[in-house]
Protein backbone atom coordinates (compact mmCIF):
# COMPACT_ATOMS: atom_id res chain seq x y z
CA UNK A 1 0.00 0.00 0.00
CA UNK A 2 1.48 3.32 -1.07
CA UNK A 3 1.68 5.86 1.75
CA UNK A 4 2.56 9.18 0.13
CA UNK A 5 2.29 11.03 3.42
CA UNK A 6 5.04 8.85 4.83
CA UNK A 7 7.14 9.16 1.67
CA UNK A 8 6.89 12.95 1.57
CA UNK A 9 8.74 13.21 4.89
CA UNK A 10 11.90 12.39 2.96
CA UNK A 11 11.41 15.51 0.83
CA UNK A 12 9.72 17.89 3.23
CA UNK A 13 12.89 19.83 4.05
CA UNK A 14 13.73 20.13 0.39
CA UNK A 15 10.22 21.41 -0.42
CA UNK A 16 10.51 24.06 2.30
CA UNK A 17 14.06 25.05 1.32
CA UNK A 18 13.10 25.36 -2.34
CA UNK A 19 10.15 27.51 -1.37
CA UNK A 20 12.39 29.78 0.71
CA UNK A 21 14.96 30.07 -2.04
CA UNK A 22 12.29 31.12 -4.55
CA UNK A 23 10.68 33.40 -1.97
CA UNK A 24 13.96 35.19 -1.42
CA UNK A 25 14.44 35.71 -5.18
CA UNK A 26 11.00 36.63 -6.51
CA UNK A 27 10.53 37.52 -10.18
CA UNK A 28 7.69 39.47 -11.77
CA UNK A 29 5.38 38.20 -14.53
CA UNK A 30 7.26 37.41 -17.78
CA UNK A 31 10.58 37.71 -15.93
CA UNK A 32 10.68 34.31 -14.21
CA UNK A 33 14.09 33.43 -15.71
CA UNK A 34 15.89 32.17 -12.60
CA UNK A 35 12.80 30.44 -11.19
CA UNK A 36 12.32 28.59 -14.48
CA UNK A 37 16.00 27.67 -14.53
CA UNK A 38 15.79 26.29 -11.00
CA UNK A 39 12.65 24.28 -11.88
CA UNK A 40 14.27 22.76 -14.99
CA UNK A 41 17.42 21.93 -13.06
CA UNK A 42 15.49 20.17 -10.29
CA UNK A 43 13.30 18.23 -12.74
CA UNK A 44 16.34 17.07 -14.72
CA UNK A 45 17.69 15.37 -11.61
CA UNK A 46 14.66 13.07 -11.80
CA UNK A 47 13.61 10.76 -14.64
CA UNK A 48 11.61 13.54 -16.23
CA UNK A 49 11.80 14.89 -19.78
CA UNK A 50 12.06 18.67 -19.54
CA UNK A 51 11.05 21.24 -22.15
CA UNK A 52 11.97 24.80 -21.21
CA UNK A 53 10.87 28.04 -22.88
CA UNK A 54 7.29 26.86 -23.42
CA UNK A 55 5.20 29.95 -24.19
CA UNK A 56 7.86 32.23 -22.71
CA UNK A 57 9.41 31.15 -19.42
CA UNK A 58 7.15 28.10 -19.05
CA UNK A 59 8.68 24.74 -18.19
CA UNK A 60 6.97 21.42 -18.96
CA UNK A 61 8.11 18.17 -17.36
CA UNK A 62 6.89 14.84 -18.67
CA UNK A 63 7.03 11.82 -16.41
CA UNK A 64 5.96 8.54 -17.94
CA UNK A 65 4.49 5.79 -15.80
CA UNK A 66 5.42 2.16 -16.35
CA UNK A 67 1.85 1.08 -17.04
CA UNK A 68 -0.62 2.25 -19.68
CA UNK A 69 -3.11 4.91 -18.70
CA UNK A 70 -4.27 8.48 -19.09
CA UNK A 71 -2.38 11.73 -19.21
CA UNK A 72 -2.80 14.10 -16.26
CA UNK A 73 -1.39 17.63 -16.14
CA UNK A 74 -0.60 19.45 -12.90
CA UNK A 75 0.07 23.18 -12.93
CA UNK A 76 2.01 25.60 -10.73
CA UNK A 77 2.35 29.31 -11.49
CA UNK A 78 5.75 30.91 -10.85
CA UNK A 79 5.46 34.71 -10.82
CA UNK A 80 5.59 37.22 -7.95
CA UNK A 81 3.89 40.58 -7.40
CA UNK A 82 5.08 44.20 -7.36
CA UNK A 83 4.74 44.43 -3.55
CA UNK A 84 7.39 45.47 -1.04
CA UNK A 85 7.63 42.68 1.51
CA UNK A 86 6.96 43.69 5.12
CA UNK A 87 7.23 40.36 6.92
CA UNK A 88 9.92 39.44 9.43
CA UNK A 89 10.84 36.16 7.69
CA UNK A 90 14.59 35.43 7.65
CA UNK A 91 14.20 34.48 3.96
CA UNK A 92 12.41 37.72 3.10
CA UNK A 93 12.57 38.97 -0.52
CA UNK A 94 15.99 40.24 -1.57
CA UNK A 95 14.41 41.91 -4.55
CA UNK A 96 13.03 45.20 -3.25
CA UNK A 97 9.50 45.97 -4.40
CA UNK A 98 8.90 42.39 -5.56
CA UNK A 99 7.35 39.74 -3.34
CA UNK A 100 5.79 36.29 -3.57
CA UNK A 101 2.69 37.73 -1.91
CA UNK A 102 0.33 35.33 -3.68
CA UNK A 103 2.27 32.22 -2.64
CA UNK A 104 3.29 31.07 -6.12
CA UNK A 105 6.68 30.21 -4.56
CA UNK A 106 4.86 27.52 -2.58
CA UNK A 107 3.08 26.27 -5.73
CA UNK A 108 6.43 25.70 -7.46
CA UNK A 109 7.95 24.02 -4.40
CA UNK A 110 4.91 21.77 -3.85
CA UNK A 111 4.78 20.67 -7.49
CA UNK A 112 8.51 19.86 -7.40
CA UNK A 113 7.74 17.79 -4.28
CA UNK A 114 4.97 16.06 -6.24
CA UNK A 115 7.47 15.33 -9.03
CA UNK A 116 9.78 13.63 -6.50
CA UNK A 117 6.91 11.54 -5.13
CA UNK A 118 5.75 10.47 -8.58
CA UNK A 119 9.29 9.66 -9.68
CA UNK A 120 9.65 7.49 -6.59
CA UNK A 121 6.47 5.60 -7.50
CA UNK A 122 7.04 5.44 -11.22
CA UNK A 123 6.63 1.65 -11.25
CA UNK A 124 3.11 1.95 -9.86
CA UNK A 125 2.24 4.94 -12.04
CA UNK A 126 -0.06 4.59 -15.06
CA UNK A 127 -0.09 6.80 -18.14
CA UNK A 128 1.90 10.00 -17.88
CA UNK A 129 2.01 13.14 -15.80
CA UNK A 130 2.76 16.55 -17.24
CA UNK A 131 4.09 19.15 -14.86
CA UNK A 132 3.20 22.63 -16.07
CA UNK A 133 5.27 25.43 -14.53
CA UNK A 134 3.55 28.55 -15.77
CA UNK A 135 4.78 32.13 -15.97
CA UNK A 136 2.80 35.37 -15.63
CA UNK A 137 -0.43 34.34 -13.92
CA UNK A 138 -0.60 37.72 -12.17
CA UNK A 139 -0.38 39.68 -15.38
CA UNK A 140 -4.14 39.80 -15.81
CA UNK A 141 -5.49 39.71 -19.36
CA UNK A 142 -2.35 38.37 -21.01
CA UNK A 143 -1.38 35.63 -18.59
CA UNK A 144 1.09 32.83 -19.23
CA UNK A 145 -1.39 29.94 -19.59
CA UNK A 146 -2.50 30.94 -23.08
CA UNK A 147 0.96 31.11 -24.66
CA UNK A 148 1.85 27.78 -23.03
CA UNK A 149 -1.26 26.17 -24.52
CA UNK A 150 -0.54 27.75 -27.92
CA UNK A 151 2.96 26.32 -27.65
CA UNK A 152 1.53 22.81 -27.28
CA UNK A 153 1.65 22.27 -23.50
CA UNK A 154 -1.67 20.38 -23.53
CA UNK A 155 -0.80 18.23 -26.57
CA UNK A 156 1.68 15.50 -27.40
CA UNK A 157 0.67 13.58 -25.41
CA UNK A 158 -2.80 15.06 -25.22
CA UNK A 159 -3.86 15.87 -21.65
CA UNK A 160 -6.98 14.05 -20.39
CA UNK A 161 -7.29 15.84 -17.04
CA UNK A 162 -5.73 18.95 -15.54
CA UNK A 163 -5.44 20.02 -11.90
CA UNK A 164 -4.15 23.06 -10.06
CA UNK A 165 -3.79 24.19 -6.49
CA UNK A 166 -3.66 27.63 -4.86
CA UNK A 167 -2.47 28.38 -1.36
CA UNK A 168 -5.01 30.50 0.53
CA UNK A 169 -4.44 32.93 3.38
CA UNK A 170 -8.20 33.07 4.02
CA UNK A 171 -8.59 29.40 4.73
CA UNK A 172 -7.24 27.68 7.89
CA UNK A 173 -4.06 25.59 7.70
CA UNK A 174 -4.44 21.96 6.60
CA UNK A 175 -7.85 22.59 5.04
CA UNK A 176 -8.57 21.90 1.38
CA UNK A 177 -11.43 23.96 -0.05
CA UNK A 178 -13.14 23.49 -3.38
CA UNK A 179 -16.47 23.34 -5.16
CA UNK A 180 -17.99 21.86 -8.29
CA UNK A 181 -18.83 24.08 -11.27
CA UNK A 182 -17.59 27.69 -11.34
CA UNK A 183 -15.01 28.33 -8.60
CA UNK A 184 -13.53 31.62 -9.85
CA UNK A 185 -14.89 34.49 -11.93
CA UNK A 186 -14.22 36.04 -15.30
CA UNK A 187 -12.80 39.58 -14.87
CA UNK A 188 -14.02 42.14 -17.41
CA UNK A 189 -11.82 45.19 -16.97
CA UNK A 190 -13.24 48.40 -18.38
CA UNK A 191 -12.10 51.91 -19.18
CA UNK A 192 -14.55 54.76 -19.71
CA UNK A 193 -13.52 58.08 -21.15
CA UNK A 194 -16.11 60.76 -20.39
CA UNK A 195 -15.72 63.67 -22.78
CA UNK A 196 -17.27 66.93 -21.57
CA UNK A 197 -16.33 70.57 -22.14
CA UNK A 198 -14.09 72.28 -19.65
CA UNK A 199 -14.25 75.84 -18.35
CA UNK A 200 -14.11 78.02 -15.23
CA UNK A 201 -15.07 76.41 -11.92
CA UNK A 202 -17.22 79.45 -11.12
CA UNK A 203 -19.37 79.00 -14.24
CA UNK A 204 -20.40 75.33 -14.49
CA UNK A 205 -23.45 76.20 -16.61
CA UNK A 206 -21.08 77.10 -19.43
CA UNK A 207 -19.37 73.70 -19.28
CA UNK A 208 -20.15 70.00 -19.49
CA UNK A 209 -18.57 68.80 -16.28
CA UNK A 210 -17.10 65.27 -16.70
CA UNK A 211 -16.40 64.96 -12.95
CA UNK A 212 -20.06 65.52 -12.13
CA UNK A 213 -21.01 62.96 -14.80
CA UNK A 214 -18.55 60.42 -13.37
CA UNK A 215 -20.20 60.79 -9.93
CA UNK A 216 -23.63 60.02 -11.45
CA UNK A 217 -22.14 57.05 -13.24
CA UNK A 218 -20.65 55.49 -10.12
CA UNK A 219 -24.09 55.49 -8.52
CA UNK A 220 -25.98 54.40 -11.61
CA UNK A 221 -23.66 51.43 -12.29
CA UNK A 222 -24.52 49.88 -8.92
CA UNK A 223 -28.10 49.72 -10.21
CA UNK A 224 -26.97 46.83 -12.44
CA UNK A 225 -26.50 44.54 -9.46
CA UNK A 226 -29.49 45.72 -7.46
CA UNK A 227 -32.03 46.11 -10.26
CA UNK A 228 -30.91 44.47 -13.49
CA UNK A 229 -29.18 41.16 -12.67
CA UNK A 230 -30.93 38.22 -11.04
CA UNK A 231 -29.99 38.71 -7.36
CA UNK A 232 -29.31 34.96 -7.05
CA UNK A 233 -26.43 35.27 -9.52
CA UNK A 234 -23.03 36.51 -8.30
CA UNK A 235 -22.10 39.83 -9.89
CA UNK A 236 -19.80 42.72 -8.99
CA UNK A 237 -19.01 46.01 -10.65
CA UNK A 238 -16.33 48.17 -9.02
CA UNK A 239 -14.97 51.50 -10.22
CA UNK A 240 -11.40 51.37 -8.98
CA UNK A 241 -9.78 54.47 -10.45
CA UNK A 242 -10.87 57.92 -11.57
CA UNK A 243 -8.50 60.45 -13.08
CA UNK A 244 -9.44 63.96 -14.03
CA UNK A 245 -8.66 67.63 -13.47
CA UNK A 246 -5.58 69.69 -12.72
CA UNK A 247 -6.55 72.67 -10.53
CA UNK A 248 -9.14 73.81 -8.02
CA UNK A 249 -10.90 76.30 -10.30
CA UNK A 250 -10.82 74.54 -13.66
CA UNK A 251 -13.56 72.20 -14.82
CA UNK A 252 -11.65 69.69 -16.99
CA UNK A 253 -12.55 68.40 -20.46
CA UNK A 254 -12.34 64.72 -19.64
CA UNK A 255 -12.50 62.11 -16.92
CA UNK A 256 -11.19 58.55 -17.15
CA UNK A 257 -12.74 55.80 -15.05
CA UNK A 258 -11.40 52.27 -14.76
CA UNK A 259 -12.73 49.22 -12.98
CA UNK A 260 -13.79 45.62 -13.15
CA UNK A 261 -16.91 43.51 -13.65
CA UNK A 262 -16.91 39.98 -12.16
CA UNK A 263 -19.33 37.21 -13.11
CA UNK A 264 -19.50 33.42 -12.90
CA UNK A 265 -21.75 32.67 -15.87
CA UNK A 266 -21.46 33.64 -19.50
CA UNK A 267 -25.13 34.61 -19.70
CA UNK A 268 -24.81 36.97 -16.73
CA UNK A 269 -21.56 38.35 -18.17
CA UNK A 270 -23.19 39.17 -21.53
CA UNK A 271 -26.21 40.73 -19.85
CA UNK A 272 -24.05 42.72 -17.39
CA UNK A 273 -21.84 44.16 -20.11
CA UNK A 274 -24.88 45.16 -22.20
CA UNK A 275 -26.50 46.88 -19.20
CA UNK A 276 -23.21 48.55 -18.32
CA UNK A 277 -22.82 49.98 -21.82
CA UNK A 278 -26.43 51.19 -21.88
CA UNK A 279 -26.08 52.96 -18.51
CA UNK A 280 -22.78 54.63 -19.36
CA UNK A 281 -24.06 55.93 -22.70
CA UNK A 282 -27.42 57.07 -21.29
CA UNK A 283 -26.02 58.88 -18.25
CA UNK A 284 -23.40 60.66 -20.34
CA UNK A 285 -25.99 61.67 -22.93
CA UNK A 286 -28.36 62.96 -20.22
CA UNK A 287 -25.76 65.52 -19.16
CA UNK A 288 -24.54 66.36 -22.64
CA UNK A 289 -21.26 64.46 -22.44
CA UNK A 290 -20.03 61.83 -24.84
CA UNK A 291 -18.13 58.69 -23.96
CA UNK A 292 -15.82 55.96 -25.15
CA UNK A 293 -16.07 52.54 -23.52
CA UNK A 294 -13.34 49.92 -23.78
CA UNK A 295 -13.50 46.39 -22.40
CA UNK A 296 -10.28 44.44 -22.07
CA UNK A 297 -10.15 41.80 -24.77
CA UNK A 298 -9.60 38.07 -24.26
CA UNK A 299 -9.99 38.13 -20.47
CA UNK A 300 -9.51 35.04 -18.29
CA UNK A 301 -12.57 32.81 -18.56
CA UNK A 302 -14.55 31.47 -15.60
CA UNK A 303 -12.58 28.75 -13.78
CA UNK A 304 -14.94 25.82 -14.14
CA UNK A 305 -14.48 22.65 -12.10
CA UNK A 306 -15.75 19.60 -13.95
CA UNK A 307 -18.42 18.10 -11.63
CA UNK A 308 -17.51 14.40 -12.10
CA UNK A 309 -13.75 14.95 -11.76
CA UNK A 310 -14.26 17.26 -8.78
CA UNK A 311 -16.45 14.72 -7.01
CA UNK A 312 -13.55 12.28 -7.32
CA UNK A 313 -11.06 14.91 -6.12
CA UNK A 314 -13.19 15.49 -3.01
CA UNK A 315 -12.88 11.84 -2.04
CA UNK A 316 -9.14 11.71 -2.82
CA UNK A 317 -8.46 14.77 -0.64
CA UNK A 318 -10.59 13.38 2.19
CA UNK A 319 -8.22 10.41 2.43
CA UNK A 320 -5.23 12.60 3.38
CA UNK A 321 -4.57 12.20 7.11
CA UNK A 322 -4.11 15.41 9.08
CA UNK A 323 -6.21 17.49 6.69
CA UNK A 324 -9.83 18.45 6.32
CA UNK A 325 -11.70 19.02 3.06
CA UNK A 326 -14.57 21.48 2.86
CA UNK A 327 -16.89 22.70 0.16
CA UNK A 328 -16.38 26.43 -0.40
CA UNK A 329 -18.36 29.10 -2.21
CA UNK A 330 -16.92 30.36 -5.49
CA UNK A 331 -14.84 33.52 -5.25
CA UNK A 332 -14.91 36.45 -7.65
CA UNK A 333 -11.15 36.58 -8.14
CA UNK A 334 -9.86 35.26 -11.47
CA UNK A 335 -7.26 32.75 -12.58
CA UNK A 336 -5.82 31.82 -15.94
CA UNK A 337 -5.81 28.19 -14.87
CA UNK A 338 -9.29 28.53 -16.40
CA UNK A 339 -7.65 28.34 -19.83
CA UNK A 340 -6.22 24.89 -19.09
CA UNK A 341 -9.66 23.80 -17.89
CA UNK A 342 -11.06 24.82 -21.27
CA UNK A 343 -8.72 22.27 -22.88
CA UNK A 344 -9.31 19.35 -20.49
CA UNK A 345 -11.67 18.66 -17.58
CA UNK A 346 -10.28 18.90 -14.08
CA UNK A 347 -10.32 20.76 -10.81
CA UNK A 348 -8.83 23.84 -9.21
CA UNK A 349 -8.71 23.81 -5.42
CA UNK A 350 -7.36 25.73 -2.44
CA UNK A 351 -5.10 24.73 0.42
CA UNK A 352 -5.42 26.88 3.55
CA UNK A 353 -2.40 28.39 5.28
CA UNK A 354 -4.02 30.66 7.86
CA UNK A 355 -2.49 29.97 11.27
CA UNK A 356 -2.74 32.78 13.87
CA UNK A 357 -0.23 31.01 16.17
CA UNK A 358 2.46 31.46 13.52
CA UNK A 359 1.37 34.95 12.52
CA UNK A 360 -0.06 33.68 9.23
CA UNK A 361 -3.12 35.89 9.30
CA UNK A 362 -2.79 38.12 6.23
CA UNK A 363 -4.54 37.46 2.93
CA UNK A 364 -2.82 36.72 -0.39
CA UNK A 365 -1.44 39.89 -2.04
CA UNK A 366 -0.76 41.53 1.36
CA UNK A 367 2.79 42.79 1.98
CA UNK A 368 2.61 40.78 5.23
CA UNK A 369 1.38 37.55 3.65
CA UNK A 370 3.04 34.66 5.45
CA UNK A 371 2.74 30.95 4.78
CA UNK A 372 2.44 28.12 7.30
CA UNK A 373 5.03 25.86 5.71
CA UNK A 374 3.78 22.70 7.43
CA UNK A 375 0.94 22.59 4.91
CA UNK A 376 3.25 22.29 1.90
CA UNK A 377 3.68 18.54 2.27
CA UNK A 378 -0.10 18.13 2.08
CA UNK A 379 -0.22 20.14 -1.13
CA UNK A 380 2.52 17.99 -2.69
CA UNK A 381 0.81 14.77 -1.57
CA UNK A 382 -2.62 15.91 -2.80
CA UNK A 383 -1.37 16.58 -6.33
CA UNK A 384 0.55 13.28 -6.41
CA UNK A 385 -2.50 11.33 -5.20
CA UNK A 386 -4.74 13.00 -7.76
CA UNK A 387 -2.25 12.26 -10.54
CA UNK A 388 -1.83 8.62 -9.50
CA UNK A 389 -5.57 8.06 -9.47
CA UNK A 390 -6.62 10.00 -12.54
CA UNK A 391 -3.93 8.38 -14.71
CA UNK A 392 -5.50 4.98 -14.07
CA UNK A 393 -7.50 4.03 -17.15
CA UNK A 394 -10.80 3.02 -15.55
CA UNK A 395 -11.01 4.69 -12.20
CA UNK A 396 -12.81 7.89 -13.09
CA UNK A 397 -15.28 8.80 -15.80
CA UNK A 398 -13.62 10.29 -18.86
CA UNK A 399 -14.81 13.77 -19.98
ZN1 LIG B 1 -2.50 36.53 -6.98
ZN1 LIG C 1 -2.12 33.50 -7.24
Amino acid sequence: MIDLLKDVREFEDEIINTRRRIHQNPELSFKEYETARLVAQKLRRLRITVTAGVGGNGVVGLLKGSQPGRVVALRADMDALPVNEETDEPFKSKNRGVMHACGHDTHVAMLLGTAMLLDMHRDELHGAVKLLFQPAEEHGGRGGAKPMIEDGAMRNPRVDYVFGLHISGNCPSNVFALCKGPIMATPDSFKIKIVGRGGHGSAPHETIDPIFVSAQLINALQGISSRMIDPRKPFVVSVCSIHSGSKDNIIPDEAIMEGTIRTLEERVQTQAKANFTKIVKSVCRAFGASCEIEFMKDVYPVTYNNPAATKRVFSILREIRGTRTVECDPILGAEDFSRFLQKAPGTYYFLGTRNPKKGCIYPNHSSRFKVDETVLKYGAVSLAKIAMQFTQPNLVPNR
Side-chain angles (χ1 to χ4, degrees), residues 77 102 104 107 137-138 166 335:
D77 39 9
C102 202
H104 298 183
H107 301 169
E137 188 282 327
E138 297 286 1
H166 206 300
E335 238 304 330

Side-chain angles (χ1 to χ4, degrees), residues 3-13 15 113-114 117 120 376-378 380-381:
D3 187 349
L4 295 174
L5 216 45
K6 204 173 118 220
D7 300 333
V8 82
R9 280 192 215 135
E10 256 181 60
F11 316 125
E12 189 176 2
D13 287 347
I15 296 172
T114 303
L117 283 169
M120 184 177 182
L376 302 185
K377 60 177 177 296
Y378 296 126
V381 166

